Amino acid sequence: MATDGNKKNENSSKKEGKSKALTQDQIVNGFNQLRQEQRSLVTKAAELEMELNEHNLVIETLKQVDGDRRCYRMIGGVLVERQAKDILPTLTTNQEQLGKIIHSLNQQISSKGQEINEYREKHNIRVRGQEETTSAPVTKTPSPSSSESPNKQNQGVLEIGRAHV
């Protein structure tokens, strides 16, 4: 009976040791998850920048027309008829809010890049095909006008280096 108790203690201590030390697959999956989160932030920021550009175009156009002119606006999938003077203040407010959201997303992208770099350094991850640099890597957020898509950037094979003692 005493040996059964000892076996349970040994098994529980083995499980605790495994949960503390991450396997290579877990490390790679964690890294890929961080990269995917950053990519989704970049995609959302690009979408909102396009929407902001559309707002800018519409605002500039509405400033040139008579305030009593009929305008149509899509609100939640419903086309609504309004006057230009009624729509312009709403569009301006939306434009300002979009700018704030885009700024916030850019900050999140930057912090996610720092988190990725820290994770890479902590777990000694190298991406094949990427140049080795002596300084800290700089996170570049692609602009929507960039010819490279975010999915083509930083693609490569991950290598996890182990320190040999």
Side-chain angles (χ1 to χ4, degrees):
M1 291 285 172
T3 58
D4 289 339
N6 289 339
K7 287 183 181 178
K8 287 181 183 177
N9 287 339
E10 289 174 12
N11 288 339
S12 66
S13 66
K14 286 181 183 176
K15 288 180 183 176
E16 288 174 9
K18 287 182 181 178
S19 65
K20 290 180 183 177
L22 296 174
T23 65
Q24 283 189 350
D25 287 340
Q26 291 170 327
I27 292 170
V28 170
N29 289 338
F31 180 71
N32 286 333
Q33 181 179 359
L34 289 173
R35 288 175 64 182
Q36 181 58 38
E37 289 170 4
Q38 187 182 35
R39 275 189 221 113
S40 67
L41 288 172
V42 169
T43 302
K44 188 63 176 176
E47 279 179 28
L48 291 177
E49 285 178 1
M50 287 177 22
E51 193 169 327
L52 181 63
N53 290 337
E54 289 177 14
H55 273 71
N56 291 337
L57 287 172
V58 172
I59 288 170
E60 290 302 315
T61 303
L62 288 180
K63 284 182 180 177
Q64 298 172 3
V65 299
D66 183 30
D68 293 328
R69 185 174 175 176
R70 272 190 295 187
C71 296
Y72 296 92
R73 181 170 180 225
M74 184 73 72
I75 302 176
V78 178
L79 194 59
V80 179
E81 179 182 341
R82 298 274 190 248
Q83 291 181 339
K85 65 182 178 186
D86 297 333
I87 292 178
L88 197 56
T90 306
L91 287 175
T92 306
T93 304
N94 287 352
Q95 178 190 32
E96 292 168 2
Q97 293 299 322
L98 282 171
K100 290 177 185 177
I101 292 170
I102 290 169
H103 179 72
S104 172
L105 280 174
N106 286 334
Q107 288 177 337
Q108 289 177 18
I109 290 167
S110 177
S111 66
K112 186 61 72 174
Q114 291 173 350
E115 185 180 349
I116 289 170
N117 289 336
E118 290 169 4
Y119 192 86
R120 285 176 67 178
E121 289 174 11
K122 178 181 176 184
H123 296 289
N124 196 18
I125 297 174
R126 295 182 309 263
V127 179
R128 283 190 197 159
Q130 222 179 28
E131 295 179 11
E132 293 292 324
T133 59
T134 55
S135 63
V138 176
T139 304
K140 179 185 174 196
T141 56
S143 64
S145 63
S146 175
S147 62
E148 291 184 25
S149 71
N151 294 337
K152 289 185 180 180
Q153 290 181 336
N154 296 331
Q155 285 188 346
V157 178
L158 296 178
E159 293 179 353
I160 301 176
R162 297 282 182 199
H164 299 286
V165 179

